[in-house]
Amino acid sequence: MLSLVLPKGSLEKATLELFDAADLAVRRGSDRDYRAGIDDPRVDRVMFLRPQEIPRYVEEGLFDLGITGRDWITETAADVTSVCELEYSKATSNPVRIILAVPADHPAQTGAELPDGVRVSTEYPELTRRFFADAGVKAIIVPSYGATEAKVPDIVDAIVDLTETGSAIRAAGLRIIDTMLVSYTELIASPAAYADPDKAHAMRQIHTLLEGVLEARGKVLVKLNVQAAELDSVIDLLPSMKAPTVNELYAGQGYAVETVVPKSAINVLIPDLKDHGATDIIELPISKIVH
Amino acid sequence: MLSLVLPKGSLEKATLELFDAADLAVRRGSDRDYRAGIDDPRVDRVMFLRPQEIPRYVEEGLFDLGITGRDWITETAADVTSVCELEYSKATSNPVRIILAVPADHPAQTGAELPDGVRVSTEYPELTRRFFADAGVKAIIVPSYGATEAKVPDIVDAIVDLTETGSAIRAAGLRIIDTMLVSYTELIASPAAYADPDKAHAMRQIHTLLEGVLEARGKVLVKLNVQAAELDSVIDLLPSMKAPTVNELYAGQGYAVETVVPKSAINVLIPDLKDHGATDIIELPISKIVH
Amino acid sequence: MLSLVLPKGSLEKATLELFDAADLAVRRGSDRDYRAGIDDPRVDRVMFLRPQEIPRYVEEGLFDLGITGRDWITETAADVTSVCELEYSKATSNPVRIILAVPADHPAQTGAELPDGVRVSTEYPELTRRFFADAGVKAIIVPSYGATEAKVPDIVDAIVDLTETGSAIRAAGLRIIDTMLVSYTELIASPAAYADPDKAHAMRQIHTLLEGVLEARGKVLVKLNVQAAELDSVIDLLPSMKAPTVNELYAGQGYAVETVVPKSAINVLIPDLKDHGATDIIELPISKIVH
Amino acid sequence: MLSLVLPKGSLEKATLELFDAADLAVRRGSDRDYRAGIDDPRVDRVMFLRPQEIPRYVEEGLFDLGITGRDWITETAADVTSVCELEYSKATSNPVRIILAVPADHPAQTGAELPDGVRVSTEYPELTRRFFADAGVKAIIVPSYGATEAKVPDIVDAIVDLTETGSAIRAAGLRIIDTMLVSYTELIASPAAYADPDKAHAMRQIHTLLEGVLEARGKVLVKLNVQAAELDSVIDLLPSMKAPTVNELYAGQGYAVETVVPKSAINVLIPDLKDHGATDIIELPISKIVH
Amino acid sequence: MLSLVLPKGSLEKATLELFDAADLAVRRGSDRDYRAGIDDPRVDRVMFLRPQEIPRYVEEGLFDLGITGRDWITETAADVTSVCELEYSKATSNPVRIILAVPADHPAQTGAELPDGVRVSTEYPELTRRFFADAGVKAIIVPSYGATEAKVPDIVDAIVDLTETGSAIRAAGLRIIDTMLVSYTELIASPAAYADPDKAHAMRQIHTLLEGVLEARGKVLVKLNVQAAELDSVIDLLPSMKAPTVNELYAGQGYAVETVVPKSAINVLIPDLKDHGATDIIELPISKIVH
Amino acid sequence: MLSLVLPKGSLEKATLELFDAADLAVRRGSDRDYRAGIDDPRVDRVMFLRPQEIPRYVEEGLFDLGITGRDWITETAADVTSVCELEYSKATSNPVRIILAVPADHPAQTGAELPDGVRVSTEYPELTRRFFADAGVKAIIVPSYGATEAKVPDIVDAIVDLTETGSAIRAAGLRIIDTMLVSYTELIASPAAYADPDKAHAMRQIHTLLEGVLEARGKVLVKLNVQAAELDSVIDLLPSMKAPTVNELYAGQGYAVETVVPKSAINVLIPDLKDHGATDIIELPISKIVH
């Protein structure tokens, strides 16, 4: 039986939707509750806490399993076992980045070119300290509790901040000169718990369910019919992720082909399939994919 | 052609979603309209009224068919024909219960142990009266128009109230000592209308559509491929609701298996299937199931 | 590479949902941005503008492709190429109509019966001018910037206005006496761009994707099993849009039948199929259909 | 020390605003709490309950003082002491009315003209029963739990319902043929508590504060300067509620006049005052007036 | 008895608040009604219409009195009588401006420097036509139905648009090179109605009430006490709008001074008054001022 | 000219309302802007930052003047000059407290009784460290980033947290055993700026305006008339904050008395005044009071 800690705040909604879709729905009395449950024989306790604090608590074994961002695992340098990356963030399936930015018209092209005494505001003081130590720059690190990008030039000369698209950075008149970390959401385990084979097996099963949902999000099931003569040319068009499932139809109706296709390819693929003789092409949504 | 009365209030949203999913979408000018229509040859008139009033109106034949809670059918003791239970309530697919509750530290363990003269607040005075008559307790029944659980101890000694999870009852410092009724939403017919074979047939068809949606809500379609050698062991894992559909694939690719599985089993089943050799497992949402 | 102009305002939400479902998701910094992009090799520029202005801009070649209503194409008499009708409007898949209405108790039965000097308020002055010129009535056209139906009788004697269901017209105490135009949303091209074979091909592919989504909206995939003896009678019940896909099941389990059915037929079809021996009927949602 | 019961529901917001303005602010943990307090030496307990139930609880002495509508006092025929009418309702300072309504085209001009057997839907069955008994009509009373006006003609022939402006009644196609009660919000006391001189004195003081706020809502303070010559004619224009306060100004500047005026007179009075020589007219808002 | 037309849309909320504060509260069934009333003997009919249409309807005498912006009066060149400017707009008490703007890096410094053939988008085609005719520039005017500032450079080279602060213009990368009109909200009368002495008198009284509210918005009443010795120096500090009201206090307590002061002066005045010996300075809000 | 830093977050709304009421309205492009301005000759730059960071920035002279909580001044031990306490917090005019809490059934009565090794979660690690050092307890301090009260008992044994009413603490099943700080909002100055006489004078004037608003919030102006015979007894009832202003009325009407009274006294005072012969008592709201 596993104890689980989930991130409160910007990742909360997306995490709840992921668990729900994975048939591991989190039950809470209200949105503001910190304690919750999951109707699953493998999970006996769920708590919601700030993502900053999660790596440390999982390291100490206060929880067996947790979800947080790679940024906070690195910042805290917590000794945790990474079960897997989960490719989602607050709003998209893209990772976030921790970057170093300076005013757009600043001459520096990398962090190493910044002068000693440079003032840097950040919510990641440890990560920033290590970066500038490696770069050989004596930086003054000013801890930030939010709105980091607004502090140039009144408070500091540069910032180290999280960004998904870089647009807030640019809107603040700043320019990115270094990427210190590319950060995904991550499923992490307490090393002690992971050493227990039963717990590790349960963790991998949970991983399978979560991954199955994320995998399905970018895919659809395409079904089509095709005559024998065009079967090969239609199959050649299909993405080579996996062999398609082919069935011969009753009474010489030809063949039914079924395959999983990335959504990003659909806009090009469907018109092509039609051009090559596929008929009755239909696209169905998928809830989970497990290879 | 049937006339239909639907419940206004807490069941309204869930009922509209059910009819919509059953391809019996209710058309209303606005959310606040009491009269509506359905584009279906079997239904000629739809009205929204309070669930308390519905059993009586259906009994009197003012409507052929209605949806309300079992609680109000029992309270009113209306003579109506139950077509079927519809397993949904305001928020979940669970039933609600009408319970008797007293302060948490009260000595009574059942309603029969309450003293004569006990004051009981309730929105169900008839049902409560019958309960205490059967229990041989002379209770003073105080009709309630809401917030029943808040009336202990200022106004009354005990309450008879509706609850889904019991959490509001506990939060008010009360303890449940008897369950008087387990109540589902129900599709009821006027006995006179149900005696008309054409109307009864139309009612059963509507029942089939509504039931098909409710049945599908807790199920998914699982498709997987498997080699001949593992076919039997994979099939053995599948829930025995119904034989799965098995197709031999073209050109010796093995077998395609397709089956309907309860969502509640998925979190355990999918990891198991994978362990037994199933590949390309995908899960698809279902809109309706009719056995 | 195509430039595309999409309608801001009442059609905006439905248009964005359509493009999203067609895997042509429009990326915008915020809801209020006028410029956007689509991750698709065929589209290099997207702008949102008022539907009134779109026909003229597409005619002038400022954009290759645009979406607007047939009403504005007719009002502006812009010389554009119609790629296809897209059967959706603000809220439904029905067309809108431009109608002529008068007070409910007015004696006229058609526009031609209105007297010379009739004052008519409208947002479509050109279309209205042509209509009355054809009808041989000397009307005074009063341009309207909204709330047209409220202007009778204080400001004008009659109105020419857009309506979907006619209910706002009736609620204002008016009666429709002529329908001047039935208007669908339309995909239009600049004639110059359409004359370029590469651009025309890209436009038709986009048309295929959009149409595939709209087509799927009213359809579902029905799967069922049936024994050999009932196969023909079950197949006879299926709508004749297209031959159903039939598979013989493994080990004499009978046949699996799969077909696409209009949602509007489901409420009658499913009970019928069951009556004729179909079992394990399930209905699945479809994302796209391309014939 | 008084216990106080306030109405939950439609009168709740207006009641809380009144107490707040009277410097008797009600403190509650949250909007949904049923128990509350007031920082005032005269009040030791506050509870919120449905207005229907309040007359009975005050009659029984479960609370010393309560606020509810006259409609429910009459319906329940509870034996309570009326401390004062409070001229506010849900939205305005007007009373509400309980009326009898029939379809607009019904021939009856009064309730007494309705035929025996008439079906009447109402949330006030007792009041309705007494009305028809007095009128000598044998009516069938159908209890209503809301949306009463929508029940004609499907369920009943006439309704007895609460209305403020009559507009919902008219919108439902009905016509009012009798007014059975004009109902204000009322401050009521338990007869037992009111017989205690200390409690009665505290109740009258609370009455003074509440009344002081309601009185001030429709009034403003008008200040103006005027020369000796015009003093009398200006004073003659002022409403005769009370003699205005007149001060002679320093150094022969004339006179300063100050008076309280109903808001409803301001739109006519201010232009008049100016015409008669008043200068520097200013209008100030008033929080309370106690005569 | 006057008929009145008020502006629907961006000025609507501010206009309703103004009439409410002027004790000319507008009664409407709902926010979306176009017809309304005012409980005032001088007004018998109120209608809400788009501000663009109002000047023409007032000119034609369809309404006696209207409120709209100076921009639309000028655009339509309607022959109406201006009763007064009302210094409020959508959000502030500042006027709006109609300006000509070009891309920030465009060489032109005034409209007259723009080349022939310049394309200009605007919601004010007439006003723009006259402007360029006066400037001797042959401009191509492209009518706009919104989002005008977004049309540079895709659709046009320059725009004529309404702005309050210029920030939307700047945010679109444009630069203002000419101000064509400074526009206040305006109270306008039909010339025919204004020629009627009774109607003109009623209009001036309504003007007095509306003006009284707007005047009071920027002012407060300051009251203070001062000893005889400091009376003159304190009075000298007060703004010279009007002589302050001075009262000698009872029993040699000194003097009470009362005056109306602009809010914008308060932040400097109050500290100054205190420095010069004023005591018990209090500031009161004012609802109306009529000089 | 002063630079000013205001608190982003929970104090933001209340701070903006205070400055607005003090006629020092803060102008911002949007709610999310970090830079702002005030139309006042004494202020040239305004920035919004997190309250945690403000003491340090004011100490360093990055801003002349700032508003933050006493809690963060103490936590950071920043060397700043306190201009004055401003008695408001997020929701009320009460101070907040930093308290130490343990599970309700824990035996400790004060922090000093906690055992060595006690784990304490807090957003105030420095303040907590000093407290336990003084108490002679070796505590393990676990930094918290929110939801501190939810961390007992899963993560820690005790918490140090901010509370206004203690209700969230109690709701989490905890009991307060020590109050470490009573914290008001505070106006703080950079010592360097405060040493400049001009800046210090400007700061005191701003202090006067802010204080004038806060002072007025709990007060009202009471005006009443009284006959000579009752003048003294009425005046004796008035709170002795300040001598009331008394005016003899014109023509022997008696006396007009005017005084400022705390709102909290009104519920008792007004009924008393009436009992002692005061007439025409009216209460007016006050915007500012400066003694």
Side-chain angles (χ1 to χ4, degrees), chain D residues 147-165:
Chain D
T148 310
E149 80 279 7
K151 287 176 187 151
V152 178
D154 304 70
I155 315 290
V156 293
D157 307 307
I159 64 165
V160 168
D161 204 7
L162 192 75
T163 187
E164 197 165 333
T165 62

Side-chain angles (χ1 to χ4, degrees), chain E residues 115-127:
Chain E
D116 281 355
V118 64
R119 287 169 63 93
V120 184
S121 179
T122 185
E123 294 190 51
Y124 302 95
E126 267 311 299
L127 210 147

Side-chain angles (χ1 to χ4, degrees), chain C residues 35 53 145 150-151 154, chain E residues 35 45 53 145 150-151 154:
Chain C
R35 288 183 180 77
E53 309 177 7
Y145 295 83
K151 287 174 186 153
D154 305 69
Chain E
R35 290 183 178 75
R45 192 162 62 91
E53 308 178 7
Y145 295 82
K151 287 175 186 153
D154 304 68

Side-chain angles (χ1 to χ4, degrees), chain B residues 9 22 103 225 284:
Chain B
N225 290 347
L284 300 171

Side-chain angles (χ1 to χ4, degrees), chain D residues 11-23 86-94 185 209-221 260-264 266 283-290, chain E residues 20 23, chain F residues 282-283:
Chain D
L11 282 174
E12 185 172 356
K13 187 161 168 278
T15 302
L16 287 170
E17 287 169 0
L18 174 61
F19 273 72
D20 201 32
D23 293 311
L86 295 169
E87 301 200 354
Y88 72 100
S89 57
K90 183 179 166 184
T92 71
S93 60
N94 300 321
T185 304
L209 291 166
L210 298 175
E211 195 62 42
V213 172
L214 292 172
E215 175 84 14
R217 280 190 185 163
K219 306 283 190 318
V220 289
L221 181 68
V260 172
V261 172
K263 271 187 178 179
S264 58
I266 278 289
E283 179 191 315
L284 301 171
I286 308 178
S287 305
K288 289 200 196 75
I289 300 182
V290 177
Chain E
D20 201 31
D23 293 310
Chain F
I282 65 174
E283 179 191 313

Side-chain angles (χ1 to χ4, degrees), chain B residues 152-224:
Chain B
V152 178
D154 304 69
I155 315 292
V156 292
D157 307 308
I159 64 166
V160 168
D161 204 6
L162 192 76
T163 187
E164 195 165 336
T165 63
S167 65
I169 301 292
R170 279 189 302 274
L174 304 179
R175 185 168 46 88
I176 294 174
I177 58 170
D178 255 313
T179 294
M180 292 162 60
L181 188 76
V182 174
S183 173
Y184 277 101
T185 304
E186 217 163 306
L187 184 66
I188 56 174
S190 154
Y194 201 73
D196 171 337
D198 285 353
K199 288 196 169 183
H201 185 247
M203 288 174 185
R204 279 191 303 267
Q205 288 191 328
I206 288 172
H207 168 199
T208 294
L209 291 166
L210 298 175
E211 194 63 41
V213 173
L214 292 172
E215 174 85 14
R217 279 190 186 165
K219 305 283 188 322
V220 289
L221 181 67
V222 170
K223 297 170 74 108
L224 56 87

Side-chain angles (χ1 to χ4, degrees), chain D residues 167 220 223-225 247-251 253 255-256 258 262-272 274-275 278-286, chain E residues 21-24 39-42 201 205-206 208-209 221 223 231-232 235 242-248 255 258 260 284-291:
Chain D
S167 65
V220 289
K223 297 170 76 105
L224 57 86
N225 291 348
N247 259 304
E248 190 166 1
L249 292 173
Y250 171 73
Q253 286 175 318
Y255 293 84
E258 197 171 301
K263 271 187 178 179
S264 58
I266 278 289
N267 56 351
V268 173
L269 179 66
I270 284 191
D272 269 8
K274 198 183 162 188
D275 288 353
T279 59
D280 300 306
I281 308 167
I282 66 174
E283 179 191 315
L284 301 171
I286 308 178
Chain E
D23 293 310
L24 296 165
D39 281 327
D40 186 281
R42 290 161 296 216
H201 185 245
Q205 287 192 329
I206 287 171
T208 294
L209 291 165
L221 181 67
K223 298 172 74 105
L231 180 59
D232 287 348
I235 284 179
K242 194 76 193 186
T245 301
V246 180
N247 259 304
E248 191 166 0
Y255 293 84
E258 198 172 301
V260 171
L284 301 172
I286 307 177
S287 305
K288 288 202 197 74
I289 299 181
V290 178
H291 296 295

